[in-house]
Amino acid sequence: MTSTTGTQTAEAAAPATVHTVVDSPCGPLTLVAREDALVGLYMVDQRHRPAQETCGEPGDSPVFAAAEEQLAAYFAGTRTDFDDLPLAMSGTPFQRRVWAALRDIPYGETVSYGELAEVLGQPGASRAVGLANGKNPIGIIVPCHRVIGANGSMTGYGGGIPRKRWLLSFESGAQQPTLM
C-alpha cells in the first residue's frame, strides 16, 4: 500500500505480530510470531519479558502449530531438540552468537557461562554471555536453562530459578509432576 507521496505507510511496512498462549508443565507459555517466524516464547513473570502490547493481538501463525507440536513432544519426553522451526531473534550480533551457541548445548547437559564464552572465542566474556543469555527471547526452544554457574550453581534464569531447576531435572530423566 502506498500513500499519495509514493512512500510505504508505516502500517503496511510493519509485519503483523501475533501471539498465542499454550499450556505447559512449567506454566503458560506465550508464543509470539511475526512473518511466519517465531520471535518470542515467554513464561509468566519472566524477567526481560517485553510489554504485552509488543506481542501483538491474539492470532494464528503457521509457526504456532509446529512450535506447539514440538513443545508437546518435548514435554512428553519424546523430543530432545527443536528443529525446522523458523526463528527470528532480534538482538545485537553478540547476543545472536550466544543464542546460536545455546542451541548446540545437548539435551540433558549443562555448560557454565565461562565455558560458553570460551566456545565463542571470548574466554573473558562470561558476564556478557550471562547478560545475553538472560535476554534470550525464545526460552526452552533456545535452551538458556542449560547454562549454569562455574561451580554448578543455578545462577540466574529469566523464567526463575524454580523453573530452571524443573527443566534441568526434567531433562535429566527425573519423573516429576508439573511445576505449575
Side-chain angles (χ1 to χ4, degrees):
M1 171 182 255
T2 59
S3 69
T4 56
T5 62
T7 59
Q8 211 173 26
T9 65
E11 187 173 293
T17 300
V18 295
H19 77 273
T20 191
V21 178
V22 298
D23 289 327
S24 83
C26 60
L29 304 174
T30 299
L31 304 177
V32 182
R34 186 177 308 116
E35 290 188 344
D36 297 334
L38 194 64
V39 298
L41 183 155
Y42 302 105
M43 300 167 220
V44 173
D45 299 325
Q46 181 170 333
R47 189 176 5 149
H48 304 297
R49 181 183 173 128
Q52 185 62 34
E53 57 269 13
T54 65
C55 294
E57 296 294 321
D60 196 22
S61 170
V63 74
F64 289 159
E68 288 180 55
E69 180 180 311
Q70 290 191 29
L71 284 164
Y74 169 81
F75 286 118
T78 59
R79 174 175 285 280
T80 60
D81 62 352
F82 297 88
D83 54 13
D84 299 328
L85 282 179
L87 306 179
M89 301 169 69
S90 295
T92 68
F94 180 76
Q95 287 172 327
R96 289 193 309 267
R97 284 181 55 223
V98 170
W99 301 333
L102 293 173
R103 298 198 71 196
D104 292 333
I105 303 170
Y107 178 91
E109 295 184 24
T110 59
V111 299
S112 71
Y113 295 98
E115 290 168 330
L116 194 55
E118 285 184 32
V119 165
L120 294 168
Q122 296 185 253
S126 60
R127 285 182 186 234
V129 165
L131 290 172
N133 194 53
K135 292 197 175 185
N136 171 16
I138 304 179
I140 301 173
I141 290 171
V142 177
C144 53
H145 61 276
R146 295 179 188 155
V147 184
I148 59 173
N151 63 359
S153 63
M154 296 291 148
T155 60
Y157 183 60
I161 297 297
R163 202 174 269 124
K164 181 174 187 162
R165 273 195 193 100
W166 187 91
L167 287 164
L168 292 174
S169 176
F170 171 76
E171 288 187 3
S172 74
Q175 295 300 327
Q176 57 197 314
T178 61
L179 175 67
M180 307 258 170

PDB file of all heavy atoms in Angstrom, residues 43-78:
ATOM      1  N   MET A  43       7.600 -16.864  29.405  1.00  0.00           N
ATOM      2  CA  MET A  43       6.955 -17.500  30.540  1.00  0.00           C
ATOM      3  C   MET A  43       6.305 -16.437  31.418  1.00  0.00           C
ATOM      4  O   MET A  43       6.663 -15.263  31.343  1.00  0.00           O
ATOM      5  CB  MET A  43       7.995 -18.283  31.336  1.00  0.00           C
ATOM      6  CG  MET A  43       8.649 -19.363  30.502  1.00  0.00           C
ATOM      7  SD  MET A  43      10.119 -20.012  31.310  1.00  0.00           S
ATOM      8  CE  MET A  43      11.186 -20.182  29.891  1.00  0.00           C
ATOM      9  N   VAL A  44       5.383 -16.855  32.244  1.00  0.00           N
ATOM     10  CA  VAL A  44       4.749 -15.951  33.194  1.00  0.00           C
ATOM     11  C   VAL A  44       5.840 -15.389  34.110  1.00  0.00           C
ATOM     12  O   VAL A  44       6.725 -16.117  34.550  1.00  0.00           O
ATOM     13  CB  VAL A  44       3.668 -16.701  34.010  1.00  0.00           C
ATOM     14  CG1 VAL A  44       3.111 -15.830  35.122  1.00  0.00           C
ATOM     15  CG2 VAL A  44       2.567 -17.192  33.089  1.00  0.00           C
ATOM     16  N   ASP A  45       5.767 -14.112  34.377  1.00  0.00           N
ATOM     17  CA  ASP A  45       6.711 -13.422  35.273  1.00  0.00           C
ATOM     18  C   ASP A  45       8.164 -13.499  34.808  1.00  0.00           C
ATOM     19  O   ASP A  45       9.086 -13.408  35.616  1.00  0.00           O
ATOM     20  CB  ASP A  45       6.610 -13.957  36.710  1.00  0.00           C
ATOM     21  CG  ASP A  45       5.230 -13.741  37.297  1.00  0.00           C
ATOM     22  OD1 ASP A  45       4.605 -12.712  36.980  1.00  0.00           O
ATOM     23  OD2 ASP A  45       4.777 -14.608  38.071  1.00  0.00           O
ATOM     24  N   GLN A  46       8.378 -13.670  33.529  1.00  0.00           N
ATOM     25  CA  GLN A  46       9.743 -13.762  33.014  1.00  0.00           C
ATOM     26  C   GLN A  46      10.429 -12.401  33.061  1.00  0.00           C
ATOM     27  O   GLN A  46       9.864 -11.392  32.657  1.00  0.00           O
ATOM     28  CB  GLN A  46       9.736 -14.277  31.571  1.00  0.00           C
ATOM     29  CG  GLN A  46      11.120 -14.409  30.987  1.00  0.00           C
ATOM     30  CD  GLN A  46      11.103 -15.138  29.659  1.00  0.00           C
ATOM     31  OE1 GLN A  46      10.226 -15.938  29.390  1.00  0.00           O
ATOM     32  NE2 GLN A  46      12.094 -14.847  28.838  1.00  0.00           N
ATOM     33  N   ARG A  47      11.661 -12.410  33.547  1.00  0.00           N
ATOM     34  CA  ARG A  47      12.473 -11.207  33.525  1.00  0.00           C
ATOM     35  C   ARG A  47      12.765 -10.880  32.059  1.00  0.00           C
ATOM     36  O   ARG A  47      12.950 -11.782  31.250  1.00  0.00           O
ATOM     37  CB  ARG A  47      13.773 -11.478  34.286  1.00  0.00           C
ATOM     38  CG  ARG A  47      14.616 -10.270  34.526  1.00  0.00           C
ATOM     39  CD  ARG A  47      15.826 -10.591  35.366  1.00  0.00           C
ATOM     40  NE  ARG A  47      15.955 -12.016  35.642  1.00  0.00           N
ATOM     41  CZ  ARG A  47      17.101 -12.633  35.813  1.00  0.00           C
ATOM     42  NH1 ARG A  47      18.215 -12.006  35.743  1.00  0.00           N
ATOM     43  NH2 ARG A  47      17.128 -13.926  36.066  1.00  0.00           N
ATOM     44  N   HIS A  48      12.823  -9.641  31.711  1.00  0.00           N
ATOM     45  CA  HIS A  48      13.076  -9.162  30.343  1.00  0.00           C
ATOM     46  C   HIS A  48      11.947  -9.518  29.376  1.00  0.00           C
ATOM     47  O   HIS A  48      12.140  -9.474  28.164  1.00  0.00           O
ATOM     48  CB  HIS A  48      14.418  -9.662  29.786  1.00  0.00           C
ATOM     49  CG  HIS A  48      15.586  -9.310  30.645  1.00  0.00           C
ATOM     50  ND1 HIS A  48      15.964  -8.010  30.899  1.00  0.00           N
ATOM     51  CD2 HIS A  48      16.469 -10.089  31.311  1.00  0.00           C
ATOM     52  CE1 HIS A  48      17.024  -8.011  31.686  1.00  0.00           C
ATOM     53  NE2 HIS A  48      17.346  -9.242  31.959  1.00  0.00           N
ATOM     54  N   ARG A  49      10.795  -9.869  29.905  1.00  0.00           N
ATOM     55  CA  ARG A  49       9.640 -10.105  29.028  1.00  0.00           C
ATOM     56  C   ARG A  49       9.192  -8.748  28.496  1.00  0.00           C
ATOM     57  O   ARG A  49       9.024  -7.806  29.274  1.00  0.00           O
ATOM     58  CB  ARG A  49       8.505 -10.764  29.816  1.00  0.00           C
ATOM     59  CG  ARG A  49       7.282 -11.056  28.969  1.00  0.00           C
ATOM     60  CD  ARG A  49       6.161 -11.643  29.816  1.00  0.00           C
ATOM     61  NE  ARG A  49       4.942 -11.757  29.033  1.00  0.00           N
ATOM     62  CZ  ARG A  49       4.233 -12.862  28.920  1.00  0.00           C
ATOM     63  NH1 ARG A  49       4.593 -13.947  29.570  1.00  0.00           N
ATOM     64  NH2 ARG A  49       3.149 -12.884  28.178  1.00  0.00           N
ATOM     65  N   PRO A  50       8.985  -8.632  27.197  1.00  0.00           N
ATOM     66  CA  PRO A  50       8.546  -7.335  26.667  1.00  0.00           C
ATOM     67  C   PRO A  50       7.116  -7.027  27.102  1.00  0.00           C
ATOM     68  O   PRO A  50       6.373  -7.907  27.516  1.00  0.00           O
ATOM     69  CB  PRO A  50       8.628  -7.523  25.149  1.00  0.00           C
ATOM     70  CG  PRO A  50       8.537  -8.996  24.938  1.00  0.00           C
ATOM     71  CD  PRO A  50       9.114  -9.645  26.162  1.00  0.00           C
ATOM     72  N   ALA A  51       6.757  -5.771  26.987  1.00  0.00           N
ATOM     73  CA  ALA A  51       5.396  -5.353  27.319  1.00  0.00           C
ATOM     74  C   ALA A  51       4.408  -6.133  26.464  1.00  0.00           C
ATOM     75  O   ALA A  51       4.672  -6.418  25.287  1.00  0.00           O
ATOM     76  CB  ALA A  51       5.243  -3.856  27.081  1.00  0.00           C
ATOM     77  N   GLN A  52       3.289  -6.489  27.049  1.00  0.00           N
ATOM     78  CA  GLN A  52       2.287  -7.312  26.362  1.00  0.00           C
ATOM     79  C   GLN A  52       1.869  -6.717  25.025  1.00  0.00           C
ATOM     80  O   GLN A  52       1.665  -7.437  24.054  1.00  0.00           O
ATOM     81  CB  GLN A  52       1.069  -7.545  27.257  1.00  0.00           C
ATOM     82  CG  GLN A  52       0.038  -8.485  26.681  1.00  0.00           C
ATOM     83  CD  GLN A  52       0.554  -9.899  26.448  1.00  0.00           C
ATOM     84  OE1 GLN A  52       1.379 -10.405  27.202  1.00  0.00           O
ATOM     85  NE2 GLN A  52       0.088 -10.546  25.396  1.00  0.00           N
ATOM     86  N   GLU A  53       1.762  -5.391  24.931  1.00  0.00           N
ATOM     87  CA  GLU A  53       1.317  -4.783  23.675  1.00  0.00           C
ATOM     88  C   GLU A  53       2.306  -5.015  22.523  1.00  0.00           C
ATOM     89  O   GLU A  53       1.921  -4.952  21.365  1.00  0.00           O
ATOM     90  CB  GLU A  53       1.013  -3.287  23.845  1.00  0.00           C
ATOM     91  CG  GLU A  53       2.145  -2.452  24.364  1.00  0.00           C
ATOM     92  CD  GLU A  53       2.165  -2.323  25.896  1.00  0.00           C
ATOM     93  OE1 GLU A  53       1.459  -3.063  26.596  1.00  0.00           O
ATOM     94  OE2 GLU A  53       2.927  -1.474  26.365  1.00  0.00           O
ATOM     95  N   THR A  54       3.559  -5.332  22.832  1.00  0.00           N
ATOM     96  CA  THR A  54       4.514  -5.622  21.752  1.00  0.00           C
ATOM     97  C   THR A  54       4.354  -7.047  21.220  1.00  0.00           C
ATOM     98  O   THR A  54       4.956  -7.387  20.205  1.00  0.00           O
ATOM     99  CB  THR A  54       5.970  -5.415  22.211  1.00  0.00           C
ATOM    100  OG1 THR A  54       6.283  -6.371  23.221  1.00  0.00           O
ATOM    101  CG2 THR A  54       6.194  -4.006  22.735  1.00  0.00           C
ATOM    102  N   CYS A  55       3.550  -7.852  21.891  1.00  0.00           N
ATOM    103  CA  CYS A  55       3.323  -9.234  21.454  1.00  0.00           C
ATOM    104  C   CYS A  55       2.219  -9.327  20.404  1.00  0.00           C
ATOM    105  O   CYS A  55       1.905 -10.417  19.927  1.00  0.00           O
ATOM    106  CB  CYS A  55       2.986 -10.125  22.645  1.00  0.00           C
ATOM    107  SG  CYS A  55       4.359 -10.317  23.803  1.00  0.00           S
ATOM    108  N   GLY A  56       1.624  -8.204  20.057  1.00  0.00           N
ATOM    109  CA  GLY A  56       0.568  -8.198  19.049  1.00  0.00           C
ATOM    110  C   GLY A  56      -0.745  -8.719  19.601  1.00  0.00           C
ATOM    111  O   GLY A  56      -0.884  -9.048  20.774  1.00  0.00           O
ATOM    112  N   GLU A  57      -1.683  -8.799  18.699  1.00  0.00           N
ATOM    113  CA  GLU A  57      -3.013  -9.293  19.041  1.00  0.00           C
ATOM    114  C   GLU A  57      -2.996 -10.818  19.112  1.00  0.00           C
ATOM    115  O   GLU A  57      -2.167 -11.461  18.477  1.00  0.00           O
ATOM    116  CB  GLU A  57      -4.019  -8.851  17.977  1.00  0.00           C
ATOM    117  CG  GLU A  57      -4.212  -7.349  17.892  1.00  0.00           C
ATOM    118  CD  GLU A  57      -4.852  -6.777  19.152  1.00  0.00           C
ATOM    119  OE1 GLU A  57      -5.759  -7.437  19.703  1.00  0.00           O
ATOM    120  OE2 GLU A  57      -4.432  -5.685  19.569  1.00  0.00           O
ATOM    121  N   PRO A  58      -3.938 -11.402  19.845  1.00  0.00           N
ATOM    122  CA  PRO A  58      -4.069 -12.859  19.770  1.00  0.00           C
ATOM    123  C   PRO A  58      -4.369 -13.230  18.315  1.00  0.00           C
ATOM    124  O   PRO A  58      -5.126 -12.545  17.635  1.00  0.00           O
ATOM    125  CB  PRO A  58      -5.272 -13.160  20.662  1.00  0.00           C
ATOM    126  CG  PRO A  58      -5.368 -11.985  21.582  1.00  0.00           C
ATOM    127  CD  PRO A  58      -4.896 -10.806  20.775  1.00  0.00           C
ATOM    128  N   GLY A  59      -3.728 -14.255  17.838  1.00  0.00           N
ATOM    129  CA  GLY A  59      -3.940 -14.631  16.450  1.00  0.00           C
ATOM    130  C   GLY A  59      -3.325 -15.973  16.146  1.00  0.00           C
ATOM    131  O   GLY A  59      -2.951 -16.727  17.046  1.00  0.00           O
ATOM    132  N   ASP A  60      -3.220 -16.248  14.868  1.00  0.00           N
ATOM    133  CA  ASP A  60      -2.695 -17.534  14.432  1.00  0.00           C
ATOM    134  C   ASP A  60      -1.543 -17.301  13.474  1.00  0.00           C
ATOM    135  O   ASP A  60      -1.476 -16.291  12.784  1.00  0.00           O
ATOM    136  CB  ASP A  60      -3.795 -18.349  13.755  1.00  0.00           C
ATOM    137  CG  ASP A  60      -3.417 -19.816  13.628  1.00  0.00           C
ATOM    138  OD1 ASP A  60      -2.547 -20.279  14.394  1.00  0.00           O
ATOM    139  OD2 ASP A  60      -3.984 -20.492  12.756  1.00  0.00           O
ATOM    140  N   SER A  61      -0.642 -18.251  13.467  1.00  0.00           N
ATOM    141  CA  SER A  61       0.503 -18.243  12.565  1.00  0.00           C
ATOM    142  C   SER A  61       0.854 -19.700  12.290  1.00  0.00           C
ATOM    143  O   SER A  61       0.743 -20.542  13.183  1.00  0.00           O
ATOM    144  CB  SER A  61       1.693 -17.536  13.226  1.00  0.00           C
ATOM    145  OG  SER A  61       2.871 -17.729  12.463  1.00  0.00           O
ATOM    146  N   PRO A  62       1.301 -20.006  11.086  1.00  0.00           N
ATOM    147  CA  PRO A  62       1.700 -21.389  10.803  1.00  0.00           C
ATOM    148  C   PRO A  62       2.787 -21.899  11.758  1.00  0.00           C
ATOM    149  O   PRO A  62       2.821 -23.082  12.070  1.00  0.00           O
ATOM    150  CB  PRO A  62       2.226 -21.320   9.368  1.00  0.00           C
ATOM    151  CG  PRO A  62       1.560 -20.131   8.769  1.00  0.00           C
ATOM    152  CD  PRO A  62       1.380 -19.152   9.892  1.00  0.00           C
ATOM    153  N   VAL A  63       3.631 -21.016  12.253  1.00  0.00           N
ATOM    154  CA  VAL A  63       4.701 -21.456  13.146  1.00  0.00           C
ATOM    155  C   VAL A  63       4.158 -21.900  14.504  1.00  0.00           C
ATOM    156  O   VAL A  63       4.775 -22.719  15.180  1.00  0.00           O
ATOM    157  CB  VAL A  63       5.795 -20.371  13.299  1.00  0.00           C
ATOM    158  CG1 VAL A  63       5.328 -19.222  14.177  1.00  0.00           C
ATOM    159  CG2 VAL A  63       7.086 -20.960  13.838  1.00  0.00           C
ATOM    160  N   PHE A  64       2.987 -21.406  14.900  1.00  0.00           N
ATOM    161  CA  PHE A  64       2.422 -21.806  16.187  1.00  0.00           C
ATOM    162  C   PHE A  64       2.126 -23.301  16.232  1.00  0.00           C
ATOM    163  O   PHE A  64       2.425 -23.968  17.222  1.00  0.00           O
ATOM    164  CB  PHE A  64       1.157 -21.013  16.519  1.00  0.00           C
ATOM    165  CG  PHE A  64       1.391 -19.565  16.857  1.00  0.00           C
ATOM    166  CD1 PHE A  64       0.346 -18.666  16.743  1.00  0.00           C
ATOM    167  CD2 PHE A  64       2.620 -19.095  17.280  1.00  0.00           C
ATOM    168  CE1 PHE A  64       0.528 -17.322  17.056  1.00  0.00           C
ATOM    169  CE2 PHE A  64       2.824 -17.754  17.585  1.00  0.00           C
ATOM    170  CZ  PHE A  64       1.770 -16.863  17.474  1.00  0.00           C
ATOM    171  N   ALA A  65       1.534 -23.839  15.176  1.00  0.00           N
ATOM    172  CA  ALA A  65       1.204 -25.269  15.163  1.00  0.00           C
ATOM    173  C   ALA A  65       2.466 -26.113  15.290  1.00  0.00           C
ATOM    174  O   ALA A  65       2.502 -27.074  16.067  1.00  0.00           O
ATOM    175  CB  ALA A  65       0.433 -25.633  13.892  1.00  0.00           C
ATOM    176  N   ALA A  66       3.500 -25.757  14.545  1.00  0.00           N
ATOM    177  CA  ALA A  66       4.757 -26.514  14.610  1.00  0.00           C
ATOM    178  C   ALA A  66       5.404 -26.377  15.981  1.00  0.00           C
ATOM    179  O   ALA A  66       5.888 -27.364  16.555  1.00  0.00           O
ATOM    180  CB  ALA A  66       5.708 -26.038  13.508  1.00  0.00           C
ATOM    181  N   ALA A  67       5.418 -25.164  16.536  1.00  0.00           N
ATOM    182  CA  ALA A  67       6.025 -24.954  17.855  1.00  0.00           C
ATOM    183  C   ALA A  67       5.251 -25.704  18.931  1.00  0.00           C
ATOM    184  O   ALA A  67       5.856 -26.361  19.786  1.00  0.00           O
ATOM    185  CB  ALA A  67       6.072 -23.459  18.169  1.00  0.00           C
ATOM    186  N   GLU A  68       3.921 -25.634  18.876  1.00  0.00           N
ATOM    187  CA  GLU A  68       3.110 -26.348  19.864  1.00  0.00           C
ATOM    188  C   GLU A  68       3.335 -27.853  19.784  1.00  0.00           C
ATOM    189  O   GLU A  68       3.435 -28.529  20.816  1.00  0.00           O
ATOM    190  CB  GLU A  68       1.629 -26.027  19.671  1.00  0.00           C
ATOM    191  CG  GLU A  68       1.256 -24.626  20.096  1.00  0.00           C
ATOM    192  CD  GLU A  68      -0.220 -24.329  19.905  1.00  0.00           C
ATOM    193  OE1 GLU A  68      -1.061 -25.097  20.432  1.00  0.00           O
ATOM    194  OE2 GLU A  68      -0.526 -23.336  19.225  1.00  0.00           O
ATOM    195  N   GLU A  69       3.413 -28.381  18.570  1.00  0.00           N
ATOM    196  CA  GLU A  69       3.645 -29.819  18.387  1.00  0.00           C
ATOM    197  C   GLU A  69       5.006 -30.223  18.962  1.00  0.00           C
ATOM    198  O   GLU A  69       5.125 -31.221  19.672  1.00  0.00           O
ATOM    199  CB  GLU A  69       3.575 -30.156  16.899  1.00  0.00           C
ATOM    200  CG  GLU A  69       3.795 -31.623  16.588  1.00  0.00           C
ATOM    201  CD  GLU A  69       3.723 -31.887  15.086  1.00  0.00           C
ATOM    202  OE1 GLU A  69       2.760 -31.434  14.440  1.00  0.00           O
ATOM    203  OE2 GLU A  69       4.662 -32.531  14.585  1.00  0.00           O
ATOM    204  N   GLN A  70       6.040 -29.436  18.663  1.00  0.00           N
ATOM    205  CA  GLN A  70       7.376 -29.775  19.160  1.00  0.00           C
ATOM    206  C   GLN A  70       7.478 -29.587  20.672  1.00  0.00           C
ATOM    207  O   GLN A  70       8.120 -30.393  21.358  1.00  0.00           O
ATOM    208  CB  GLN A  70       8.438 -28.968  18.418  1.00  0.00           C
ATOM    209  CG  GLN A  70       8.584 -29.423  16.981  1.00  0.00           C
ATOM    210  CD  GLN A  70       9.788 -28.841  16.270  1.00  0.00           C
ATOM    211  OE1 GLN A  70      10.799 -28.529  16.890  1.00  0.00           O
ATOM    212  NE2 GLN A  70       9.680 -28.704  14.957  1.00  0.00           N
ATOM    213  N   LEU A  71       6.851 -28.558  21.211  1.00  0.00           N
ATOM    214  CA  LEU A  71       6.847 -28.378  22.662  1.00  0.00           C
ATOM    215  C   LEU A  71       6.114 -29.526  23.355  1.00  0.00           C
ATOM    216  O   LEU A  71       6.575 -30.030  24.386  1.00  0.00           O
ATOM    217  CB  LEU A  71       6.207 -27.034  23.038  1.00  0.00           C
ATOM    218  CG  LEU A  71       7.072 -25.807  22.804  1.00  0.00           C
ATOM    219  CD1 LEU A  71       6.216 -24.532  22.819  1.00  0.00           C
ATOM    220  CD2 LEU A  71       8.193 -25.722  23.825  1.00  0.00           C
ATOM    221  N   ALA A  72       4.989 -29.960  22.795  1.00  0.00           N
ATOM    222  CA  ALA A  72       4.248 -31.088  23.384  1.00  0.00           C
ATOM    223  C   ALA A  72       5.110 -32.347  23.388  1.00  0.00           C
ATOM    224  O   ALA A  72       5.141 -33.085  24.387  1.00  0.00           O
ATOM    225  CB  ALA A  72       2.952 -31.319  22.617  1.00  0.00           C
ATOM    226  N   ALA A  73       5.818 -32.592  22.298  1.00  0.00           N
ATOM    227  CA  ALA A  73       6.694 -33.767  22.231  1.00  0.00           C
ATOM    228  C   ALA A  73       7.862 -33.635  23.210  1.00  0.00           C
ATOM    229  O   ALA A  73       8.260 -34.614  23.856  1.00  0.00           O
ATOM    230  CB  ALA A  73       7.202 -33.967  20.801  1.00  0.00           C
ATOM    231  N   TYR A  74       8.414 -32.438  23.354  1.00  0.00           N
ATOM    232  CA  TYR A  74       9.492 -32.198  24.316  1.00  0.00           C
ATOM    233  C   TYR A  74       9.005 -32.524  25.721  1.00  0.00           C
ATOM    234  O   TYR A  74       9.650 -33.270  26.460  1.00  0.00           O
ATOM    235  CB  TYR A  74       9.955 -30.734  24.212  1.00  0.00           C
ATOM    236  CG  TYR A  74      10.868 -30.285  25.323  1.00  0.00           C
ATOM    237  CD1 TYR A  74      12.235 -30.580  25.290  1.00  0.00           C
ATOM    238  CD2 TYR A  74      10.382 -29.551  26.410  1.00  0.00           C
ATOM    239  CE1 TYR A  74      13.079 -30.159  26.314  1.00  0.00           C
ATOM    240  CE2 TYR A  74      11.217 -29.131  27.421  1.00  0.00           C
ATOM    241  CZ  TYR A  74      12.566 -29.436  27.373  1.00  0.00           C
ATOM    242  OH  TYR A  74      13.396 -29.021  28.391  1.00  0.00           O
ATOM    243  N   PHE A  75       7.844 -31.967  26.100  1.00  0.00           N
ATOM    244  CA  PHE A  75       7.334 -32.198  27.454  1.00  0.00           C
ATOM    245  C   PHE A  75       6.826 -33.630  27.652  1.00  0.00           C
ATOM    246  O   PHE A  75       6.721 -34.087  28.787  1.00  0.00           O
ATOM    247  CB  PHE A  75       6.258 -31.172  27.806  1.00  0.00           C
ATOM    248  CG  PHE A  75       6.816 -29.805  28.080  1.00  0.00           C
ATOM    249  CD1 PHE A  75       6.454 -28.728  27.289  1.00  0.00           C
ATOM    250  CD2 PHE A  75       7.716 -29.591  29.111  1.00  0.00           C
ATOM    251  CE1 PHE A  75       6.970 -27.457  27.529  1.00  0.00           C
ATOM    252  CE2 PHE A  75       8.250 -28.325  29.362  1.00  0.00           C
ATOM    253  CZ  PHE A  75       7.871 -27.265  28.569  1.00  0.00           C
ATOM    254  N   ALA A  76       6.555 -34.348  26.584  1.00  0.00           N
ATOM    255  CA  ALA A  76       6.184 -35.763  26.686  1.00  0.00           C
ATOM    256  C   ALA A  76       7.424 -36.650  26.787  1.00  0.00           C
ATOM    257  O   ALA A  76       7.318 -37.848  27.008  1.00  0.00           O
ATOM    258  CB  ALA A  76       5.349 -36.178  25.477  1.00  0.00           C
ATOM    259  N   GLY A  77       8.595 -36.044  26.605  1.00  0.00           N
ATOM    260  CA  GLY A  77       9.846 -36.787  26.695  1.00  0.00           C
ATOM    261  C   GLY A  77      10.242 -37.495  25.418  1.00  0.00           C
ATOM    262  O   GLY A  77      11.134 -38.336  25.425  1.00  0.00           O
ATOM    263  N   THR A  78       9.587 -37.165  24.296  1.00  0.00           N
ATOM    264  CA  THR A  78       9.906 -37.838  23.032  1.00  0.00           C
ATOM    265  C   THR A  78      10.697 -36.955  22.070  1.00  0.00           C
ATOM    266  O   THR A  78      11.023 -37.384  20.972  1.00  0.00           O
ATOM    267  CB  THR A  78       8.613 -38.305  22.329  1.00  0.00           C
ATOM    268  OG1 THR A  78       7.783 -37.171  22.072  1.00  0.00           O
ATOM    269  CG2 THR A  78       7.871 -39.325  23.188  1.00  0.00           C
TER     270      THR A  78
END
